[in-house]
Coordinates of all heavy atoms in Angstrom, one line a residue:
T10 N -1.4 24.9 5.9 CA -1.7 25.2 4.5 C -1.5 26.7 4.3 O -1.8 27.5 5.2 CB -3.1 24.7 4.1 OG1 -3.3 24.8 2.7 CG2 -4.2 25.5 4.8
T15 N -2.8 22.1 0.5 CA -2.5 21.1 1.5 C -3.7 20.7 2.3 O -3.9 19.6 2.7 CB -1.2 21.5 2.4 OG1 -0.2 21.7 1.5 CG2 -0.9 20.4 3.3
A19 N -5.4 17.1 3.0 CA -5.6 16.7 4.2 C -7.0 16.1 4.3 O -7.3 15.1 5.0 CB -5.3 17.7 5.3
A26 N -9.1 7.6 5.1 CA -8.9 6.9 6.4 C -10.1 6.5 7.0 O -10.3 5.3 7.5 CB -7.9 7.7 7.3
K27 N -11.1 7.4 7.1 CA -12.4 7.1 7.7 C -13.1 6.0 6.9 O -13.7 5.1 7.5 CB -13.3 8.4 7.7 CG -12.8 9.4 8.8 CD -13.7 10.6 8.7 CE -13.2 11.7 9.6 NZ -13.8 13.0 9.4
G28 N -13.1 6.1 5.5 CA -13.7 5.1 4.7 C -13.1 3.7 4.9 O -13.8 2.7 4.8
A29 N -11.8 3.7 5.4 CA -11.2 2.4 5.7 C -11.4 2.0 7.2 O -10.8 1.0 7.6 CB -9.7 2.4 5.2
G30 N -12.2 2.7 7.9 CA -12.5 2.3 9.2 C -11.6 2.9 10.3 O -11.9 2.6 11.5
G39 N -1.6 24.7 14.2 CA -1.8 25.7 15.2 C -2.8 25.2 16.3 O -2.8 25.7 17.4
S44 N 2.0 17.0 22.9 CA 1.6 16.0 24.0 C 0.4 15.1 23.5 O 0.4 13.9 24.0 CB 1.2 16.7 25.2 OG 0.1 17.5 25.0
E45 N -0.4 15.5 22.6 CA -1.4 14.6 22.1 C -1.1 13.5 21.2 O -1.8 12.6 21.0 CB -2.6 15.4 21.6 CG -2.4 16.1 20.2 CD -3.6 17.1 19.9 OE1 -4.6 16.6 19.7 OE2 -3.2 18.2 19.7
Y49 N -2.2 8.5 19.5 CA -2.6 8.1 18.2 C -1.7 6.9 17.7 O -0.5 6.9 18.1 CB -2.6 9.3 17.2 CG -3.7 10.3 17.5 CD1 -3.5 11.3 18.4 CD2 -4.9 10.1 16.9 CE1 -4.5 12.1 18.7 CE2 -5.9 11.0 17.2 CZ -5.7 12.0 18.1 OH -6.8 12.9 18.3
D75 N 9.7 20.0 17.8 CA 9.4 19.6 19.1 C 8.8 18.2 19.1 O 9.0 17.5 20.2 CB 8.3 20.6 19.6 CG 8.8 21.9 19.9 OD1 10.0 22.1 20.0 OD2 7.9 22.9 20.2
K84 N 3.9 5.1 13.8 CA 3.6 5.0 12.3 C 3.4 6.5 11.9 O 2.5 7.1 12.4 CB 2.5 4.1 12.0 CG 2.7 2.7 12.2 CD 1.5 1.8 11.9 CE 1.8 0.4 12.1 NZ 0.6 -0.4 11.9
A86 N 3.5 9.4 8.4 CA 3.5 9.7 7.0 C 3.6 11.2 6.8 O 3.1 11.9 7.6 CB 2.3 9.0 6.3
F88 N 3.0 14.4 3.8 CA 2.3 14.8 2.5 C 2.3 16.3 2.4 O 2.6 17.0 3.3 CB 0.9 14.3 2.4 CG 0.0 15.0 3.4 CD1 -0.8 16.0 3.1 CD2 -0.2 14.5 4.8 CE1 -1.7 16.6 3.9 CE2 -1.0 15.1 5.6 CZ -1.8 16.2 5.2
G89 N 2.1 16.8 1.1 CA 2.0 18.2 0.9 C 1.9 18.5 -0.6 O 2.2 17.7 -1.5
E103 N 10.6 13.0 5.4 CA 10.5 11.6 5.8 C 11.8 11.0 6.4 O 11.8 10.2 7.3 CB 10.2 10.8 4.4 CG 9.6 9.5 4.7 CD 9.1 8.9 3.3 OE1 9.8 8.5 2.5 OE2 7.8 9.0 3.1
R105 N 13.9 12.7 8.2 CA 14.0 13.2 9.6 C 13.0 12.3 10.5 O 13.4 12.1 11.6 CB 13.5 14.7 9.6 CG 14.6 15.5 9.1 CD 14.0 17.0 9.0 NE 13.8 17.6 10.3 CZ 13.1 18.7 10.5 NH1 12.6 19.3 9.5 NH2 13.0 19.2 11.8
K107 N 12.4 9.1 10.0 CA 13.2 7.8 10.2 C 14.3 8.0 11.2 O 14.5 7.2 12.0 CB 13.7 7.3 8.9 CG 12.6 6.8 7.9 CD 13.3 6.4 6.7 CE 12.3 6.0 5.6 NZ 12.9 5.8 4.2
N109 N 14.4 9.8 13.7 CA 13.8 9.9 15.0 C 13.1 8.6 15.4 O 12.3 8.5 16.4 CB 13.0 11.1 15.1 CG 13.7 12.4 15.3 OD1 14.2 12.6 16.4 ND2 13.9 13.1 14.2
G110 N 13.3 7.5 14.7 CA 12.8 6.2 15.0 C 11.4 5.9 14.5 O 10.7 4.9 15.0
V112 N 8.3 4.8 12.1 CA 8.0 3.8 11.1 C 7.2 4.4 10.0 O 6.2 5.0 10.3 CB 7.2 2.6 11.8 CG1 6.9 1.5 10.7 CG2 8.0 2.0 12.9
A114 N 4.6 4.8 7.6 CA 3.3 4.1 7.2 C 2.9 4.1 5.8 O 2.2 3.1 5.4 CB 2.2 4.8 8.1
A115 N 3.4 5.1 5.1 CA 3.1 5.2 3.6 C 4.1 6.2 3.1 O 4.5 7.1 3.7 CB 1.6 5.7 3.4
K119 N 2.8 13.7 -2.7 CA 2.9 15.2 -3.0 C 1.9 15.3 -4.1 O 1.5 14.5 -5.0 CB 4.4 15.5 -3.5 CG 4.9 14.8 -4.7 CD 6.3 15.2 -5.0 CE 6.8 14.7 -6.3 NZ 7.4 13.3 -6.2
H121 N 1.0 18.4 -7.2 CA 1.5 19.7 -7.8 C 0.4 20.7 -7.7 O -0.6 20.5 -8.3 CB 2.0 19.4 -9.2 CG 2.5 20.6 -9.9 ND1 1.9 21.3 -10.9 CD2 3.7 21.2 -9.6 CE1 2.8 22.4 -11.2 NE2 3.8 22.3 -10.5
K133 N -7.0 9.9 -1.1 CA -7.9 9.0 -0.3 C -7.3 7.6 -0.1 O -7.4 7.0 0.8 CB -9.3 8.9 -1.2 CG -10.1 10.2 -1.0 CD -11.4 10.1 -1.9 CE -12.0 11.4 -1.9 NZ -13.1 11.5 -2.9

Side-chain angles (χ1 to χ4, degrees):
T10 193
T15 301
K27 284 177 188 168
S44 61
E45 71 187 302
Y49 292 88
D75 288 348
K84 290 181 181 174
F88 67 93
E103 198 169 78
R105 289 173 66 193
K107 288 178 189 171
N109 283 283
V112 176
K119 64 183 187 275
H121 186 251
K133 288 176 187 169

